[in-house]
PDB file of all heavy atoms in Angstrom:
ATOM      1  N   ASP A   6     -34.703  18.739  27.982  1.00 90.00           N
ATOM      2  CA  ASP A   6     -33.462  19.301  28.106  1.00 90.00           C
ATOM      3  C   ASP A   6     -32.345  18.362  28.364  1.00 90.00           C
ATOM      4  O   ASP A   6     -31.175  18.806  28.541  1.00 90.00           O
ATOM      5  CB  ASP A   6     -33.535  20.400  29.217  1.00 90.00           C
ATOM      6  CG  ASP A   6     -34.559  21.560  28.943  1.00 90.00           C
ATOM      7  OD1 ASP A   6     -34.611  21.855  27.658  1.00 90.00           O
ATOM      8  OD2 ASP A   6     -35.173  21.999  29.832  1.00 90.00           O
ATOM      9  N   VAL A   7     -32.682  17.106  28.322  1.00 97.00           N
ATOM     10  CA  VAL A   7     -31.578  16.081  28.681  1.00 97.00           C
ATOM     11  C   VAL A   7     -31.421  15.162  27.510  1.00 97.00           C
ATOM     12  O   VAL A   7     -32.389  14.650  26.883  1.00 97.00           O
ATOM     13  CB  VAL A   7     -32.054  15.200  29.923  1.00 97.00           C
ATOM     14  CG1 VAL A   7     -30.991  14.144  30.311  1.00 97.00           C
ATOM     15  CG2 VAL A   7     -32.369  16.043  31.135  1.00 97.00           C
ATOM     16  N   PRO A   8     -30.075  15.099  27.063  1.00 96.00           N
ATOM     17  CA  PRO A   8     -29.815  14.082  25.835  1.00 96.00           C
ATOM     18  C   PRO A   8     -30.317  12.772  26.137  1.00 96.00           C
ATOM     19  O   PRO A   8     -29.954  12.107  27.149  1.00 96.00           O
ATOM     20  CB  PRO A   8     -28.376  14.328  25.583  1.00 96.00           C
ATOM     21  CG  PRO A   8     -27.830  14.840  26.953  1.00 96.00           C
ATOM     22  CD  PRO A   8     -28.907  15.636  27.557  1.00 96.00           C
ATOM     23  N   GLY A   9     -30.994  12.180  25.244  1.00 97.00           N
ATOM     24  CA  GLY A   9     -31.566  10.758  25.474  1.00 97.00           C
ATOM     25  C   GLY A   9     -30.798   9.762  24.675  1.00 97.00           C
ATOM     26  O   GLY A   9     -31.078   8.536  24.787  1.00 97.00           O
ATOM     27  N   ASP A  10     -29.702  10.117  23.976  1.00 97.00           N
ATOM     28  CA  ASP A  10     -28.963   9.184  23.152  1.00 97.00           C
ATOM     29  C   ASP A  10     -27.597   8.711  23.767  1.00 97.00           C
ATOM     30  O   ASP A  10     -26.753   8.360  23.072  1.00 97.00           O
ATOM     31  CB  ASP A  10     -28.743   9.794  21.770  1.00 97.00           C
ATOM     32  CG  ASP A  10     -27.877  11.126  21.836  1.00 97.00           C
ATOM     33  OD1 ASP A  10     -27.764  11.604  22.881  1.00 97.00           O
ATOM     34  OD2 ASP A  10     -27.533  11.505  20.672  1.00 97.00           O
ATOM     35  N   ARG A  11     -27.629   8.912  25.162  1.00 97.00           N
ATOM     36  CA  ARG A  11     -26.392   8.449  25.860  1.00 97.00           C
ATOM     37  C   ARG A  11     -26.760   7.513  26.991  1.00 97.00           C
ATOM     38  O   ARG A  11     -27.905   7.611  27.512  1.00 97.00           O
ATOM     39  CB  ARG A  11     -25.680   9.728  26.355  1.00 97.00           C
ATOM     40  CG  ARG A  11     -25.064  10.462  25.183  1.00 97.00           C
ATOM     41  CD  ARG A  11     -24.759  11.938  25.669  1.00 97.00           C
ATOM     42  NE  ARG A  11     -23.773  12.022  26.727  1.00 97.00           N
ATOM     43  CZ  ARG A  11     -23.366  13.126  27.285  1.00 97.00           C
ATOM     44  NH1 ARG A  11     -23.803  14.279  26.898  1.00 97.00           N
ATOM     45  NH2 ARG A  11     -22.371  13.188  28.171  1.00 97.00           N
ATOM     46  N   PRO A  12     -25.917   6.660  27.484  1.00 98.00           N
ATOM     47  CA  PRO A  12     -26.294   5.856  28.603  1.00 98.00           C
ATOM     48  C   PRO A  12     -26.489   6.737  29.797  1.00 98.00           C
ATOM     49  O   PRO A  12     -25.807   7.752  30.080  1.00 98.00           O
ATOM     50  CB  PRO A  12     -25.067   4.862  28.853  1.00 98.00           C
ATOM     51  CG  PRO A  12     -23.964   5.569  28.090  1.00 98.00           C
ATOM     52  CD  PRO A  12     -24.633   6.425  26.987  1.00 98.00           C
ATOM     53  N   ALA A  13     -27.439   6.272  30.747  1.00 98.00           N
ATOM     54  CA  ALA A  13     -27.817   7.170  31.862  1.00 98.00           C
ATOM     55  C   ALA A  13     -27.932   6.457  33.076  1.00 98.00           C
ATOM     56  O   ALA A  13     -28.317   5.137  33.190  1.00 98.00           O
ATOM     57  CB  ALA A  13     -29.227   7.824  31.563  1.00 98.00           C
ATOM     58  N   VAL A  14     -27.468   6.870  34.188  1.00 98.00           N
ATOM     59  CA  VAL A  14     -27.668   6.419  35.579  1.00 98.00           C
ATOM     60  C   VAL A  14     -28.384   7.535  36.316  1.00 98.00           C
ATOM     61  O   VAL A  14     -27.989   8.636  36.319  1.00 98.00           O
ATOM     62  CB  VAL A  14     -26.291   6.074  36.199  1.00 98.00           C
ATOM     63  CG1 VAL A  14     -25.320   7.267  36.225  1.00 98.00           C
ATOM     64  CG2 VAL A  14     -26.620   5.405  37.574  1.00 98.00           C
ATOM     65  N   MET A  15     -29.382   7.065  37.116  1.00 98.00           N
ATOM     66  CA  MET A  15     -30.281   7.918  37.816  1.00 98.00           C
ATOM     67  C   MET A  15     -30.442   7.556  39.299  1.00 98.00           C
ATOM     68  O   MET A  15     -30.535   6.311  39.464  1.00 98.00           O
ATOM     69  CB  MET A  15     -31.654   8.015  37.144  1.00 98.00           C
ATOM     70  CG  MET A  15     -31.649   8.490  35.716  1.00 98.00           C
ATOM     71  SD  MET A  15     -33.014   7.890  34.726  1.00 98.00           S
ATOM     72  CE  MET A  15     -32.320   6.249  34.320  1.00 98.00           C
ATOM     73  N   VAL A  16     -30.462   8.433  40.181  1.00 98.00           N
ATOM     74  CA  VAL A  16     -30.665   8.122  41.543  1.00 98.00           C
ATOM     75  C   VAL A  16     -31.776   8.947  42.076  1.00 98.00           C
ATOM     76  O   VAL A  16     -31.947  10.188  41.709  1.00 98.00           O
ATOM     77  CB  VAL A  16     -29.387   8.343  42.342  1.00 98.00           C
ATOM     78  CG1 VAL A  16     -28.313   7.318  42.041  1.00 98.00           C
ATOM     79  CG2 VAL A  16     -28.881   9.678  42.277  1.00 98.00           C
ATOM     80  N   GLY A  17     -32.578   8.339  43.096  1.00 98.00           N
ATOM     81  CA  GLY A  17     -33.515   9.135  43.778  1.00 98.00           C
ATOM     82  C   GLY A  17     -33.410   8.875  45.234  1.00 98.00           C
ATOM     83  O   GLY A  17     -33.985   7.865  45.713  1.00 98.00           O
ATOM     84  N   ASP A  18     -32.675   9.662  45.925  1.00 97.00           N
ATOM     85  CA  ASP A  18     -32.353   9.499  47.341  1.00 97.00           C
ATOM     86  C   ASP A  18     -33.450  10.153  48.205  1.00 97.00           C
ATOM     87  O   ASP A  18     -33.461  11.383  48.213  1.00 97.00           O
ATOM     88  CB  ASP A  18     -30.881  10.038  47.634  1.00 97.00           C
ATOM     89  CG  ASP A  18     -30.399   9.581  49.026  1.00 97.00           C
ATOM     90  OD1 ASP A  18     -31.218   9.125  49.806  1.00 97.00           O
ATOM     91  OD2 ASP A  18     -29.241   9.872  49.340  1.00 97.00           O
ATOM     92  N   GLY A  19     -34.375   9.303  48.820  1.00 94.00           N
ATOM     93  CA  GLY A  19     -35.357   9.949  49.579  1.00 94.00           C
ATOM     94  C   GLY A  19     -36.525  10.437  48.861  1.00 94.00           C
ATOM     95  O   GLY A  19     -37.431  11.126  49.369  1.00 94.00           O
ATOM     96  N   LEU A  20     -36.643  10.285  47.565  1.00 96.00           N
ATOM     97  CA  LEU A  20     -37.548  10.734  46.745  1.00 96.00           C
ATOM     98  C   LEU A  20     -38.874   9.981  46.645  1.00 96.00           C
ATOM     99  O   LEU A  20     -39.985  10.593  46.714  1.00 96.00           O
ATOM    100  CB  LEU A  20     -36.992  10.926  45.262  1.00 96.00           C
ATOM    101  CG  LEU A  20     -38.024  11.379  44.150  1.00 96.00           C
ATOM    102  CD1 LEU A  20     -38.435  12.765  44.294  1.00 96.00           C
ATOM    103  CD2 LEU A  20     -37.436  11.134  42.779  1.00 96.00           C
ATOM    104  N   ILE A  21     -38.851   8.663  46.547  1.00 95.00           N
ATOM    105  CA  ILE A  21     -39.908   7.857  46.229  1.00 95.00           C
ATOM    106  C   ILE A  21     -41.166   7.990  47.189  1.00 95.00           C
ATOM    107  O   ILE A  21     -42.300   8.043  46.808  1.00 95.00           O
ATOM    108  CB  ILE A  21     -39.623   6.401  46.108  1.00 95.00           C
ATOM    109  CG1 ILE A  21     -38.472   6.192  45.062  1.00 95.00           C
ATOM    110  CG2 ILE A  21     -40.707   5.525  45.782  1.00 95.00           C
ATOM    111  CD1 ILE A  21     -38.787   6.745  43.725  1.00 95.00           C
ATOM    112  N   GLY A  22     -40.847   8.164  48.472  1.00 94.00           N
ATOM    113  CA  GLY A  22     -41.911   8.326  49.443  1.00 94.00           C
ATOM    114  C   GLY A  22     -42.761   9.459  49.281  1.00 94.00           C
ATOM    115  O   GLY A  22     -43.974   9.658  49.730  1.00 94.00           O
ATOM    116  N   PHE A  23     -42.310  10.488  48.457  1.00 95.00           N
ATOM    117  CA  PHE A  23     -43.039  11.736  48.315  1.00 95.00           C
ATOM    118  C   PHE A  23     -43.608  11.957  46.883  1.00 95.00           C
ATOM    119  O   PHE A  23     -44.051  12.977  46.546  1.00 95.00           O
ATOM    120  CB  PHE A  23     -41.995  13.000  48.602  1.00 95.00           C
ATOM    121  CG  PHE A  23     -41.435  12.853  49.947  1.00 95.00           C
ATOM    122  CD1 PHE A  23     -40.184  12.269  50.219  1.00 95.00           C
ATOM    123  CD2 PHE A  23     -42.163  13.368  51.070  1.00 95.00           C
ATOM    124  CE1 PHE A  23     -39.659  12.268  51.503  1.00 95.00           C
ATOM    125  CE2 PHE A  23     -41.715  13.345  52.294  1.00 95.00           C
ATOM    126  CZ  PHE A  23     -40.484  12.682  52.627  1.00 95.00           C
ATOM    127  N   LEU A  24     -43.778  10.765  46.191  1.00 97.00           N
ATOM    128  CA  LEU A  24     -44.349  10.761  44.882  1.00 97.00           C
ATOM    129  C   LEU A  24     -45.544   9.717  45.081  1.00 97.00           C
ATOM    130  O   LEU A  24     -45.470   8.737  45.786  1.00 97.00           O
ATOM    131  CB  LEU A  24     -43.498  10.306  43.824  1.00 97.00           C
ATOM    132  CG  LEU A  24     -42.225  10.927  43.508  1.00 97.00           C
ATOM    133  CD1 LEU A  24     -41.392  10.209  42.366  1.00 97.00           C
ATOM    134  CD2 LEU A  24     -42.451  12.399  43.062  1.00 97.00           C
ATOM    135  N   THR A  25     -46.704  10.106  44.514  1.00 97.00           N
ATOM    136  CA  THR A  25     -47.809   9.213  44.472  1.00 97.00           C
ATOM    137  C   THR A  25     -47.434   8.095  43.648  1.00 97.00           C
ATOM    138  O   THR A  25     -46.526   8.049  42.806  1.00 97.00           O
ATOM    139  CB  THR A  25     -49.088   9.778  43.806  1.00 97.00           C
ATOM    140  OG1 THR A  25     -48.782  10.074  42.406  1.00 97.00           O
ATOM    141  CG2 THR A  25     -49.471  11.076  44.530  1.00 97.00           C
ATOM    142  N   GLN A  26     -48.081   6.974  43.909  1.00 97.00           N
ATOM    143  CA  GLN A  26     -47.694   5.680  43.087  1.00 97.00           C
ATOM    144  C   GLN A  26     -47.882   5.898  41.662  1.00 97.00           C
ATOM    145  O   GLN A  26     -46.994   5.528  40.791  1.00 97.00           O
ATOM    146  CB  GLN A  26     -48.511   4.467  43.550  1.00 97.00           C
ATOM    147  CG  GLN A  26     -48.178   3.183  42.895  1.00 97.00           C
ATOM    148  CD  GLN A  26     -48.884   2.041  43.565  1.00 97.00           C
ATOM    149  OE1 GLN A  26     -48.594   1.658  44.585  1.00 97.00           O
ATOM    150  NE2 GLN A  26     -49.891   1.426  42.773  1.00 97.00           N
ATOM    151  N   ASP A  27     -48.884   6.552  41.191  1.00 98.00           N
ATOM    152  CA  ASP A  27     -49.100   6.663  39.749  1.00 98.00           C
ATOM    153  C   ASP A  27     -48.004   7.683  39.237  1.00 98.00           C
ATOM    154  O   ASP A  27     -47.494   7.469  38.102  1.00 98.00           O
ATOM    155  CB  ASP A  27     -50.474   7.385  39.440  1.00 98.00           C
ATOM    156  CG  ASP A  27     -51.527   6.301  39.683  1.00 98.00           C
ATOM    157  OD1 ASP A  27     -51.363   5.193  39.687  1.00 98.00           O
ATOM    158  OD2 ASP A  27     -52.813   6.775  39.736  1.00 98.00           O
ATOM    159  N   ALA A  28     -47.638   8.677  39.988  1.00 97.00           N
ATOM    160  CA  ALA A  28     -46.615   9.635  39.398  1.00 97.00           C
ATOM    161  C   ALA A  28     -45.198   8.896  39.373  1.00 97.00           C
ATOM    162  O   ALA A  28     -44.382   9.135  38.536  1.00 97.00           O
ATOM    163  CB  ALA A  28     -46.533  10.829  40.380  1.00 97.00           C
ATOM    164  N   MET A  29     -44.955   8.059  40.443  1.00 98.00           N
ATOM    165  CA  MET A  29     -43.719   7.272  40.403  1.00 98.00           C
ATOM    166  C   MET A  29     -43.639   6.330  39.181  1.00 98.00           C
ATOM    167  O   MET A  29     -42.567   6.288  38.460  1.00 98.00           O
ATOM    168  CB  MET A  29     -43.594   6.435  41.759  1.00 98.00           C
ATOM    169  CG  MET A  29     -42.331   5.558  41.712  1.00 98.00           C
ATOM    170  SD  MET A  29     -42.370   4.468  43.272  1.00 98.00           S
ATOM    171  CE  MET A  29     -43.787   3.318  42.768  1.00 98.00           C
ATOM    172  N   ILE A  30     -44.636   5.594  38.912  1.00 98.00           N
ATOM    173  CA  ILE A  30     -44.671   4.643  37.826  1.00 98.00           C
ATOM    174  C   ILE A  30     -44.551   5.348  36.399  1.00 98.00           C
ATOM    175  O   ILE A  30     -43.711   5.035  35.535  1.00 98.00           O
ATOM    176  CB  ILE A  30     -45.982   3.860  37.698  1.00 98.00           C
ATOM    177  CG1 ILE A  30     -45.990   2.987  38.968  1.00 98.00           C
ATOM    178  CG2 ILE A  30     -46.122   3.005  36.501  1.00 98.00           C
ATOM    179  CD1 ILE A  30     -47.333   2.320  39.257  1.00 98.00           C
TER     180      ILE A  30
END
């Protein structure tokens, strides 16, 4: 649902600790 043909900036504030390593990668 997100257009992929435009430049993108993404943030994950406090997110990474709650994803498994495999899911994060």
